[in-house]
Amino acid sequence: MDPAIEVRDLKKTYRTPFARRKVEALSGVSFSVERGTIFGFVGPNGAGKTTTIRTLMGLIKPTAGSAKILGHAVPSRKARAQVGFLPESPYFYDYLTIGELLDLAGRLFGMSHADRKKRSDELIERVGLARARAQSLKKFSKGMLQRAGLAQALMNNPEVVVLDEPMSGLDPIGRKEVRDLILELREKGTTVFFSSHILTDIEAIADRVAIIARGVLTAEGTPAELIRRTALGVDVMVRIAEDAAIDDLVAGADRVRRVGDQLSLTLPVDADVDAWLAKSRERGAKVISVAQRHETLEDLFLRQIANAGGSAEGRV
Amino acid sequence: MLGRIWAIALNTFREAVRIKVLYGVLVVVFGANFLAIVLGAMSYHEETRVAQDIGLAGMSIFGSITAILLGLFLLYNEIQRRTVHAIVSKPIERWEFVVGKWLGMALVLSVLVALFTVAMIAMLALQGNAMTTALVKATLLAWVEVLTVAAIAIFFSSFSTPFLSGIFSFAMWLIGRVTPDIEQAAKSASAWIRVVTRVALEIVPDVHLMSPSGRSDVSVHGDFVTWAYVGMASLHGLGWIVGLLALACVLFHRRDFV
C-alpha cells in the first residue's frame, strides 16, 4: 500500500520581485508519512514548512522533485478529494456564517445537500462553534476561525488531514481540544500531517517527527528515536526557609531559581543526589520533587537549528 | 464539474450581495431614473426618449463600470486575502474557479441589467408607453456588453494588480466602444500608424457592436438593428468571453499561491 504522503527531493526556488535574486525555499526535502499515523513537521519561521505543505496541496508548483498523496502525484484532484486542509492563519470568506462556509466546502467536495447538512451540524458541534452559528466569520476571534478552519478541513471525512499550524492562536483549552481531535482522527485511521511551533504538542501526540531548517530536513524519526535518552541532570525542587543559607547547596548546580520559600535547581548528572538531599534536610528543607532531566524535543530542535546555522527566530 | 462551478458562482454572488454591491446598484438605478424624470421634464415632450436613453446608457455604462470593479477586486482579493487557499486545495480545477467567479459576476450584472430594465419599463408605463422590440434588442446587447467587460476584467485580474487591471480593462472597454471612430481617424494617418491601429483594434473586443444606437442611422427610437445583428453581436461577445476566460484560466493555472 502506498504511503499516505510521499515527498521525494522536493525543491522550490523563488525569485525576488525586482532584483530577481534566487531564494531557495526547499533544497531537496524527502520524507514519507505512513497511513494512520500522526506526523509532526517542525521548523522555525521561514524554514520551508508552509512551502512544503502548499506544494502538497497544489497551491505552488515545485521547481524539482515530486510529491504523492495516497499514491496520486500532486497536484491531483483525486488526491485533494481525500484530503482535508487547514491553511496557516486561515482566511475564509468573512461574510459567510460557519454553516455557509461548510456548505460551500461540501459542495466543492461534491456532497449531497443532506450529507452537507448532517456533516456540518456534526462538525459545528464537534469544534464547539454551535453558539456562533448565526454570526458571520467577520465577528470570529482568531481561535474561532481556527476551529472553523478545522471543521472545513474535516468536511469530506478525509483519509489524510494536512494542518498548517493548527494550534496557532488557540488558548490552552483550545490546544488540548485540537490535540484530542488529532488523536481521535488517528483512532479512526486518518493520517494527520501537521506543522507546529509548539514542540510539546508535537512531542505529546506525533508518531513521527521531521525537523526542517533552511529548506533542508535535518532530522526525522519517532520522538523517542530523535530525543537522546541520556540524562542531562537531575531537577530538584525543595521548600526551604527564606532566610536559610543555600550557597553551598547551589554550588555547581544549574538553572537555580528561588521564589519565596521554593528553591529549584538542576544538579549535574554525576552529582550525589542523596547527599545533596540530606544536606538540604539538615537546613530544614522539605523535598517537593526530584526528577531526572532528559533531552526534550525542544532541546533537539534548538540543536538542529543551531547545526543548520540558523536561529529559532528563523530567517528572512 | 457544474456543481463546483455553480458553488463558486453562488458564493461570488453572495459576496457581492453581502458587501452591498447590489445596494450600490439600486442607488444608481434610482439615481438614473430620477435623472430621467428631471431631464424629461426639462425637455420638450421628449420624456419617453429620455427614459429610454438613460435606461440603456445606465445599463451599458454603469453595468460596464460595475463589471470592471467587480472583476478587479473579486479575483484579486481571493489571492491577496488567501481565501483562495482553502478553495483550490479542494477537488476543484483552477479553471472551474475562474469560470465560477465570472459566472457569479454575470449573475450580479444580470440583476443590475434586470433592475435597469424594470425601472425603464416602469418609467415608460408611467408615460403610457410600452417596451418596444428595439428596446428589447438594445437591452440584450447591453447585457452582452457588460458580460464581455466582466471577462476583460477577470482576464487582467488573473495576473495583475487591481490598479493596473483597472487601467487596462477601462482602456480596452473604452477603445472597444469607439473602434469605428479610431478607424476613421487612422485613415488619414501615415501607413505605419494605420497598421499599428489595425493591430491594436484587432486585440480589443468590438463592444461598440453592442451599443449600435446613434451610428449609421440606427436608433433605438427609430430603425434599429435586426435580430440577426443581435445574434452576430452576441456571438462576437461570446467569442471574446470564451477567449478571455480561457486565457485567464491558463494564467491562473500557472500561478503560485504563496
Side-chain angles (χ1 to χ4, degrees):
Chain A
M1 192 185 272
D2 292 308
I5 299 173
E6 197 175 6
V7 173
R8 288 282 161 264
D9 203 22
L10 208 61
K11 290 179 184 167
K12 180 66 186 176
T13 306
Y14 293 108
R15 282 193 180 271
T16 54
F18 296 108
R20 308 301 293 161
R21 196 167 52 85
K22 276 188 179 179
V23 177
E24 201 162 45
L26 296 177
S27 315
V29 170
S30 300
F31 61 86
S32 97
V33 180
E34 291 308 311
R35 292 188 187 219
T37 61
I38 300 173
F39 194 98
F41 201 43
V42 198
N45 294 333
K49 300 188 301 291
T50 296
T51 303
T52 306
I53 287 176
R54 286 183 183 162
T55 307
L56 281 174
M57 298 315 303
L59 295 171
I60 57 177
K61 292 173 187 68
T63 310
S66 64
K68 285 181 181 176
I69 295 182
L70 300 168
H72 304 289
V74 297
S76 149
R77 209 172 71 76
K78 272 189 185 171
R80 292 200 299 271
Q82 297 165 72
V83 177
F85 172 52
L86 171 73
E88 184 192 20
S89 307
Y91 295 92
F92 301 111
Y93 302 110
D94 58 9
Y95 50 86
L96 297 180
T97 63
I98 175 70
E100 289 168 342
L101 175 75
L102 298 187
D103 186 69
L104 172 64
R107 280 173 186 266
L108 296 177
F109 282 117
M111 294 166 71
S112 69
H113 176 77
D115 287 348
R116 295 199 304 268
K117 176 86 177 68
K118 185 169 174 278
R119 185 73 178 144
S120 60
D121 285 347
E122 276 171 20
L123 286 169
I124 290 169
E125 283 291 332
R126 179 66 190 83
V127 299
L129 289 174
R131 281 182 173 186
R133 258 177 180 280
Q135 284 179 29
S136 67
L137 300 183
K138 198 182 290 177
K139 292 175 184 159
F140 275 27
S141 67
K142 199 178 175 206
M144 288 165 82
L145 276 177
Q146 201 76 2
R147 289 160 193 258
L150 281 165
Q152 63 83 39
L154 300 176
M155 193 63 191
N156 57 330
N157 214 355
E159 280 185 51
V160 178
V161 178
V162 177
L163 310 171
D164 198 355
E165 300 281 356
M167 279 87 162
S168 168
L170 296 179
D171 58 23
I173 297 167
R175 275 170 50 199
K176 185 184 179 305
E177 284 172 359
V178 173
R179 281 203 306 265
D180 290 347
L181 181 67
I182 290 174
L183 291 169
E184 190 184 303
L185 286 168
R186 181 181 58 184
E187 275 173 30
K188 288 181 186 166
T190 309
T191 309
V192 182
F193 178 89
F194 77 107
S195 69
S196 180
H197 280 100
I198 304 163
L199 297 162
T200 47
D201 289 336
I202 286 200
E203 195 170 359
I205 60 172
D207 298 310
R208 287 187 78 79
V209 179
I211 298 177
I212 186 169
R214 296 185 168 247
V216 179
L217 220 63
T218 60
E220 195 210 327
T222 64
E225 281 167 6
L226 293 179
I227 298 166
R228 285 182 187 164
R229 281 296 167 195
T230 49
L232 297 175
V234 179
D235 288 333
V236 183
M237 190 183 281
V238 295
R239 187 160 285 144
I240 190 165
E242 284 181 49
D243 56 353
I246 59 164
D247 289 353
D248 58 333
L249 289 177
V250 301
D254 201 7
R255 301 164 192 260
V256 179
R257 196 178 139 103
R258 191 176 193 182
V259 180
D261 65 350
Q262 202 162 296
L263 171 69
S264 59
L265 48 80
T266 302
L267 296 172
V269 176
D270 55 354
D272 185 344
V273 181
D274 287 335
W276 190 93
L277 291 173
K279 197 156 58 176
S280 68
R281 282 193 191 102
E282 282 169 16
R283 313 272 167 84
K286 290 202 181 331
V287 179
I288 299 171
S289 68
V290 178
Q292 199 159 48
R293 183 181 179 79
H294 292 282
E295 187 178 54
T296 62
L297 192 57
E298 187 174 356
D299 298 323
L300 171 76
F301 175 73
L302 293 172
R303 190 155 44 80
Q304 292 286 337
I305 301 306
N307 289 345
S311 74
E313 289 302 308
R315 68 195 165 111
V316 179
Chain B
M1 176 186 79
L2 288 177
R4 294 187 295 270
I5 292 174
W6 188 238
I8 298 297
L10 275 183
N11 190 51
T12 306
F13 182 78
R14 185 179 272 153
E15 181 175 8
V17 173
R18 301 262 166 100
I19 62 172
K20 301 185 174 51
V21 167
L22 285 182
Y23 297 119
V25 168
L26 271 175
V27 169
V28 169
V29 170
F30 279 113
N33 282 288
F34 181 72
L35 187 69
I37 292 167
V38 172
L39 291 179
M42 288 165 66
S43 69
Y44 185 70
H45 299 305
E46 293 284 7
E47 292 87 350
T48 304
R49 177 183 279 266
V50 170
Q52 290 175 349
D53 284 346
I54 293 214
L56 290 174
M59 276 176 220
S60 174
I61 295 169
F62 289 116
S64 296
I65 291 171
T66 309
I68 290 172
L69 293 177
L70 280 179
L72 301 187
F73 289 104
L74 289 186
L75 196 58
Y76 181 79
N77 284 348
E78 291 270 3
I79 298 161
Q80 204 61 13
R81 293 180 186 165
R82 297 183 182 165
T83 45
V84 73
H85 289 199
I87 299 296
V88 297
S89 56
K90 303 272 186 305
I92 179 171
E93 299 293 351
R94 290 193 186 185
W95 70 264
E96 294 172 345
F97 179 77
V98 174
V99 173
K101 287 303 267 188
W102 177 83
L103 197 61
M105 280 174 62
L107 283 175
V108 177
L109 296 167
S110 301
V111 170
L112 180 147
V113 170
L115 287 173
F116 263 107
T117 309
V118 168
M120 188 168 63
I121 291 171
M123 291 284 289
L124 291 173
L126 279 175
Q127 292 154 10
N129 295 308
M131 189 88 165
T132 61
T133 310
L135 281 176
V136 173
K137 289 175 188 169
T139 303
L140 277 174
L141 287 171
W143 182 57
V144 175
E145 181 185 4
V146 295
L147 298 188
T148 309
V149 176
I152 294 173
I154 285 265
F155 164 69
F156 284 117
S157 187
S158 67
F159 65 89
S160 187
T161 62
F163 179 70
L164 288 176
S165 304
I167 291 172
F168 295 146
S169 305
F170 194 72
M172 208 168 189
W173 171 57
L174 217 57
I175 293 170
R177 274 210 139 220
V178 294
T179 303
D181 304 312
I182 296 174
E183 272 174 337
Q184 192 63 36
K187 274 181 187 167
S188 55
S190 61
W192 72 270
I193 289 183
R194 284 205 300 276
V195 171
V196 170
T197 308
R198 186 71 253 154
V199 172
L201 293 180
E202 285 304 325
I203 56 168
V204 170
D206 291 328
V207 284
H208 69 90
L209 295 175
M210 292 119 197
S211 51
S213 193
R215 288 184 193 282
S216 312
D217 301 328
V218 173
S219 170
V220 76
H221 311 294
D223 285 336
F224 199 57
V225 293
T226 61
W227 279 111
Y229 176 94
V230 174
M232 287 308 290
S234 300
L235 274 179
H236 180 86
L238 187 66
W240 273 97
I241 289 169
V242 171
L244 288 166
L245 288 182
L247 281 173
C249 291
V250 170
L251 292 167
F252 201 70
H253 182 76
R254 293 163 60 94
R255 283 192 80 143
D256 274 348
F257 298 122
V258 290

Coordinates of all heavy atoms in Angstrom, one line a residue, chain A residues 220-276:
Chain A
E220 N 14.7 13.2 11.2 CA 13.3 12.5 11.0 C 13.3 11.2 11.8 O 14.3 10.5 11.8 CB 13.0 12.3 9.6 CG 11.5 12.0 9.4 CD 11.3 11.1 8.2 OE1 12.0 11.1 7.2 OE2 10.3 10.3 8.3
G221 N 12.3 11.0 12.5 CA 12.1 9.7 13.2 C 11.0 9.8 14.3 O 10.3 10.8 14.3
T222 N 10.9 8.8 15.1 CA 9.9 8.9 16.2 C 10.5 9.8 17.2 O 11.7 10.0 17.3 CB 9.7 7.5 16.8 OG1 10.9 7.1 17.4 CG2 9.2 6.5 15.8
P223 N 9.6 10.4 18.0 CA 10.2 11.3 19.1 C 11.2 10.6 19.9 O 12.3 11.2 20.3 CB 9.0 11.7 19.9 CG 7.8 11.6 18.9 CD 8.2 10.5 18.0
A224 N 11.0 9.3 20.2 CA 11.9 8.6 21.1 C 13.2 8.4 20.4 O 14.3 8.4 21.0 CB 11.3 7.2 21.4
E225 N 13.2 8.1 19.1 CA 14.4 8.0 18.3 C 15.2 9.3 18.3 O 16.5 9.3 18.4 CB 14.1 7.6 16.9 CG 13.8 6.1 16.7 CD 13.2 5.8 15.3 OE1 13.2 6.8 14.5 OE2 12.8 4.7 15.1
L226 N 14.5 10.3 18.2 CA 15.2 11.6 18.0 C 15.7 12.2 19.3 O 16.8 12.8 19.3 CB 14.2 12.6 17.4 CG 13.8 12.3 15.9 CD1 12.8 13.4 15.4 CD2 15.0 12.3 15.0
I227 N 15.0 12.0 20.3 CA 15.4 12.6 21.6 C 16.5 11.6 22.3 O 16.2 10.5 22.4 CB 14.2 12.7 22.5 CG1 13.2 13.7 21.9 CG2 14.7 13.3 23.9 CD1 11.9 13.7 22.6
R228 N 17.6 12.2 22.6 CA 18.6 11.4 23.3 C 18.1 11.0 24.6 O 17.7 11.9 25.4 CB 19.9 12.2 23.4 CG 20.6 12.4 22.2 CD 21.9 13.1 22.5 NE 22.6 13.5 21.4 CZ 23.6 14.4 21.4 NH1 23.9 15.1 22.5 NH2 24.2 14.7 20.3
R229 N 18.1 9.7 24.9 CA 17.6 9.3 26.3 C 18.7 9.4 27.3 O 18.6 8.8 28.3 CB 17.0 7.9 26.2 CG 15.6 7.9 25.6 CD 14.6 8.7 26.5 NE 13.4 8.9 25.8 CZ 12.5 9.8 26.2 NH1 12.7 10.5 27.3 NH2 11.4 10.0 25.5
T230 N 19.7 10.2 27.0 CA 20.8 10.3 28.1 C 20.3 11.4 29.1 O 19.7 12.4 28.7 CB 22.1 10.8 27.4 OG1 21.8 11.9 26.6 CG2 22.7 9.7 26.6
A231 N 20.6 11.1 30.3 CA 20.3 12.1 31.3 C 21.1 13.4 31.2 O 22.3 13.3 30.9 CB 20.5 11.5 32.7
L232 N 20.4 14.5 31.4 CA 21.2 15.8 31.3 C 21.4 16.4 32.7 O 22.1 17.4 32.8 CB 20.3 16.8 30.4 CG 20.1 16.4 29.0 CD1 19.2 17.4 28.4 CD2 21.4 16.3 28.2
G233 N 20.8 15.8 33.7 CA 20.9 16.3 35.0 C 19.8 15.8 35.9 O 19.0 15.0 35.4
V234 N 19.7 16.4 37.1 CA 18.6 16.0 38.0 C 17.9 17.3 38.4 O 18.5 18.1 39.0 CB 19.0 15.2 39.2 CG1 17.9 14.8 40.1 CG2 19.8 13.9 38.7
D235 N 16.6 17.4 38.1 CA 15.8 18.6 38.6 C 15.3 18.3 40.0 O 14.7 17.3 40.2 CB 14.6 18.8 37.6 CG 15.1 19.3 36.3 OD1 16.1 19.9 36.2 OD2 14.3 19.0 35.3
V236 N 15.6 19.2 40.9 CA 15.2 19.1 42.3 C 14.4 20.4 42.7 O 14.8 21.5 42.3 CB 16.5 19.0 43.2 CG1 16.0 18.8 44.6 CG2 17.4 17.9 42.8
M237 N 13.4 20.1 43.4 CA 12.6 21.2 43.9 C 12.4 21.0 45.4 O 11.9 19.9 45.8 CB 11.3 21.4 43.2 CG 10.6 22.7 43.5 SD 9.0 22.8 42.7 CE 9.5 23.2 41.1
V238 N 12.8 22.0 46.3 CA 12.6 21.8 47.7 C 11.9 23.1 48.3 O 12.0 24.1 47.6 CB 13.9 21.6 48.4 CG1 14.5 20.2 48.0 CG2 14.9 22.7 48.2
R239 N 11.4 22.9 49.5 CA 10.8 24.1 50.2 C 11.8 24.4 51.3 O 12.1 23.4 52.1 CB 9.4 23.8 50.7 CG 8.7 25.0 51.2 CD 7.2 24.8 51.3 NE 6.7 25.0 49.9 CZ 5.6 24.3 49.5 NH1 5.1 23.4 50.2 NH2 5.2 24.5 48.3
I240 N 12.3 25.5 51.4 CA 13.3 25.8 52.4 C 13.1 27.3 52.9 O 12.6 28.1 52.2 CB 14.7 25.7 51.8 CG1 15.8 25.7 52.9 CG2 15.0 26.7 50.7 CD1 17.2 25.2 52.4
A241 N 13.4 27.5 54.2 CA 13.1 28.8 54.8 C 13.8 29.9 54.0 O 14.9 29.7 53.5 CB 13.6 28.8 56.3
E242 N 13.1 31.0 53.9 CA 13.6 32.1 53.0 C 15.0 32.6 53.5 O 15.8 33.1 52.7 CB 12.6 33.2 52.9 CG 11.5 32.9 52.0 CD 10.4 34.0 51.9 OE1 10.9 35.1 51.7 OE2 9.2 33.7 52.1
D243 N 15.2 32.5 54.8 CA 16.5 33.1 55.3 C 17.6 32.1 55.5 O 18.7 32.3 55.9 CB 16.2 33.8 56.7 CG 15.6 32.8 57.7 OD1 15.2 31.7 57.3 OD2 15.5 33.2 58.9
A244 N 17.3 30.8 55.1 CA 18.3 29.8 55.2 C 19.4 30.0 54.1 O 19.2 30.4 53.0 CB 17.7 28.4 54.9
A245 N 20.7 29.7 54.6 CA 21.8 29.9 53.7 C 21.8 28.7 52.7 O 21.7 27.6 53.1 CB 23.1 29.9 54.5
I246 N 22.0 29.1 51.4 CA 22.0 28.0 50.4 C 23.2 28.0 49.5 O 23.2 27.3 48.5 CB 20.7 28.1 49.5 CG1 20.6 29.5 48.8 CG2 19.4 27.8 50.4 CD1 19.6 29.5 47.7
D247 N 24.2 28.8 49.8 CA 25.3 28.9 48.9 C 25.9 27.6 48.6 O 26.2 27.3 47.4 CB 26.4 29.9 49.5 CG 25.9 31.3 49.5 OD1 24.8 31.6 48.9 OD2 26.5 32.2 50.1
D248 N 26.1 26.8 49.6 CA 26.8 25.5 49.3 C 25.8 24.5 48.6 O 26.3 23.6 47.9 CB 27.3 24.9 50.6 CG 26.3 24.7 51.6 OD1 25.3 25.5 51.6 OD2 26.4 23.7 52.4
L249 N 24.5 24.8 48.8 CA 23.5 23.9 48.1 C 23.5 24.1 46.6 O 23.3 23.2 45.8 CB 22.1 24.1 48.7 CG 21.9 23.6 50.1 CD1 20.5 23.9 50.5 CD2 22.1 22.0 50.2
V250 N 23.7 25.4 46.2 CA 23.5 25.7 44.8 C 24.9 25.7 44.0 O 24.9 25.8 42.8 CB 22.8 27.1 44.6 CG1 21.5 27.1 45.2 CG2 23.7 28.2 45.1
A251 N 25.9 25.4 44.8 CA 27.3 25.4 44.2 C 27.3 24.3 43.1 O 26.9 23.1 43.4 CB 28.4 25.2 45.2
G252 N 27.7 24.6 41.9 CA 27.8 23.6 40.9 C 26.5 23.2 40.2 O 26.4 22.5 39.2
A253 N 25.4 23.8 40.7 CA 24.0 23.5 40.1 C 23.7 24.4 39.0 O 24.3 25.5 38.8 CB 22.9 23.6 41.2
D254 N 22.8 24.0 38.2 CA 22.4 24.8 37.0 C 20.9 25.3 37.2 O 20.2 24.6 38.0 CB 22.5 23.9 35.8 CG 22.7 24.7 34.5 OD1 22.8 26.0 34.6 OD2 22.7 24.1 33.4
R255 N 20.5 26.2 36.5 CA 19.1 26.7 36.5 C 18.6 26.9 37.9 O 17.5 26.5 38.2 CB 18.2 25.6 35.8 CG 18.5 25.3 34.4 CD 17.8 24.0 33.9 NE 18.3 23.5 32.7 CZ 17.7 23.7 31.5 NH1 16.6 24.3 31.4 NH2 18.3 23.2 30.4
V256 N 19.3 27.6 38.7 CA 18.9 27.9 40.1 C 17.8 29.0 40.1 O 18.0 30.0 39.4 CB 20.1 28.3 40.9 CG1 19.7 28.6 42.3 CG2 21.2 27.3 40.8
R257 N 16.8 28.7 40.8 CA 15.7 29.6 40.9 C 15.1 29.6 42.3 O 14.8 28.5 42.8 CB 14.7 29.2 39.9 CG 13.7 30.3 39.6 CD 12.7 29.7 38.5 NE 11.4 30.1 38.8 CZ 10.7 31.1 38.2 NH1 11.3 31.7 37.3 NH2 9.5 31.4 38.6
R258 N 15.0 30.7 43.0 CA 14.5 30.8 44.3 C 13.3 31.8 44.3 O 13.5 33.0 44.1 CB 15.5 31.2 45.3 CG 15.1 31.0 46.8 CD 16.2 31.3 47.7 NE 15.9 30.9 49.1 CZ 16.7 31.0 50.1 NH1 17.9 31.7 49.9 NH2 16.4 30.6 51.3
V259 N 12.1 31.3 44.6 CA 11.0 32.1 44.6 C 10.3 31.9 46.0 O 9.8 30.8 46.2 CB 10.0 31.9 43.5 CG1 8.8 32.8 43.6 CG2 10.6 32.0 42.1
G260 N 10.4 32.9 46.9 CA 9.8 32.7 48.2 C 10.6 31.6 48.9 O 11.8 31.6 49.0
D261 N 9.8 30.6 49.4 CA 10.5 29.5 50.1 C 10.7 28.3 49.2 O 11.0 27.3 49.7 CB 9.6 29.1 51.4 CG 8.3 28.5 51.0 OD1 7.9 28.6 49.8 OD2 7.6 28.0 51.8
Q262 N 10.6 28.6 47.9 CA 10.7 27.4 47.0 C 12.0 27.6 46.2 O 12.3 28.6 45.6 CB 9.5 27.5 46.0 CG 9.3 26.1 45.4 CD 7.9 26.0 44.8 OE1 6.9 26.1 45.5 NE2 7.8 25.9 43.5
L263 N 12.8 26.5 46.3 CA 14.1 26.5 45.6 C 14.1 25.4 44.5 O 13.8 24.2 44.8 CB 15.2 26.3 46.6 CG 16.6 26.1 46.0 CD1 17.2 27.3 45.3 CD2 17.6 25.6 47.1
S264 N 14.4 25.8 43.3 CA 14.5 24.7 42.3 C 15.8 24.9 41.5 O 16.3 26.0 41.4 CB 13.3 24.8 41.3 OG 13.3 26.0 40.6
L265 N 16.4 23.7 41.2 CA 17.7 23.8 40.5 C 18.0 22.4 39.8 O 17.2 21.5 40.0 CB 18.9 24.0 41.5 CG 18.9 23.2 42.8 CD1 19.5 21.9 42.6 CD2 19.7 24.0 43.9
T266 N 19.0 22.4 38.9 CA 19.3 21.2 38.2 C 20.7 20.8 38.7 O 21.7 21.6 38.5 CB 19.3 21.4 36.7 OG1 18.0 21.8 36.4 CG2 19.6 20.1 36.0
L267 N 20.8 19.6 39.2 CA 22.2 19.1 39.7 C 22.8 18.4 38.5 O 22.2 17.8 37.6 CB 22.0 18.1 40.8 CG 21.4 18.7 42.1 CD1 21.1 17.5 43.1 CD2 22.3 19.7 42.7
P268 N 24.2 18.4 38.5 CA 24.9 17.7 37.4 C 24.6 16.2 37.4 O 24.2 15.7 38.4 CB 26.3 18.0 37.7 CG 26.4 19.1 38.7 CD 25.1 19.1 39.4
V269 N 24.8 15.6 36.2 CA 24.4 14.2 36.1 C 25.2 13.3 37.1 O 24.6 12.4 37.7 CB 24.8 13.7 34.7 CG1 24.6 12.2 34.5 CG2 24.1 14.4 33.6
D270 N 26.4 13.7 37.4 CA 27.2 12.9 38.3 C 27.1 13.3 39.8 O 27.8 12.8 40.6 CB 28.7 12.9 37.8 CG 29.2 14.4 37.7 OD1 28.4 15.3 37.9 OD2 30.4 14.6 37.5
A271 N 26.2 14.2 40.1 CA 26.1 14.7 41.5 C 25.5 13.6 42.4 O 24.8 12.7 41.9 CB 25.1 15.9 41.5
D272 N 25.9 13.7 43.7 CA 25.4 12.7 44.6 C 24.1 13.3 45.2 O 24.1 14.1 46.1 CB 26.4 12.5 45.8 CG 26.0 11.4 46.7 OD1 24.8 11.1 46.7 OD2 26.8 11.0 47.5
V273 N 23.0 12.8 44.6 CA 21.7 13.4 44.9 C 21.3 13.1 46.3 O 20.8 14.0 47.0 CB 20.6 12.9 43.9 CG1 19.3 13.5 44.2 CG2 21.0 13.2 42.5
D274 N 21.6 11.9 46.8 CA 21.2 11.5 48.2 C 21.9 12.5 49.2 O 21.3 13.0 50.1 CB 21.6 10.1 48.5 CG 20.7 9.1 47.8 OD1 19.5 9.6 47.5 OD2 21.1 8.0 47.5
A275 N 23.2 12.7 48.9 CA 24.0 13.6 49.8 C 23.4 15.0 49.8 O 23.3 15.7 50.8 CB 25.5 13.6 49.4
W276 N 23.1 15.5 48.6 CA 22.5 16.8 48.4 C 21.2 16.9 49.2 O 21.0 17.9 49.9 CB 22.3 17.1 47.0 CG 22.0 18.6 46.7 CD1 22.9 19.6 46.4 CD2 20.7 19.2 46.8 NE1 22.3 20.8 46.3 CE2 20.9 20.6 46.5 CE3 19.4 18.8 47.0 CZ2 19.9 21.5 46.5 CZ3 18.4 19.7 47.0 CH2 18.6 21.0 46.7

